[in-house]
Amino acid sequence: MTEVQQYCTFFINKIHFGIDIKQVEEVIRVPEITPVPLAPIDICGLINLREKL
């Protein structure tokens, strides 16, 4: 019997990626992004991942 392969897929910069689901520790939704003054254009900002100050 063949094992079913499962993947977690996502987009980064319009590029579709996939990784083996066994490598995924957790999936989170992106909360509000706080802009960072003078950050390079590649940096969108910061998120409060665990909602701790």
Side-chain angles (χ1 to χ4, degrees), residues 20-48:
D20 189 318
I21 197 79
K22 294 174 188 169
Q23 300 297 314
V24 176
E25 190 169 318
E26 68 179 308
V27 176
I28 63 164
R29 295 197 183 274
V30 178
E32 181 180 343
I33 299 174
T34 303
V36 178
L38 305 175
I41 196 165
D42 297 357
I43 306 298
C44 296
L46 299 173
I47 63 170
N48 188 350

Side-chain angles (χ1 to χ4, degrees), residues 2-16:
T2 305
E3 182 179 333
V4 175
Q5 293 181 319
Q6 294 181 320
Y7 297 92
C8 179
T9 62
F10 52 95
F11 287 93
I12 298 178
N13 241 8
K14 299 182 183 178
I15 301 173
H16 197 202

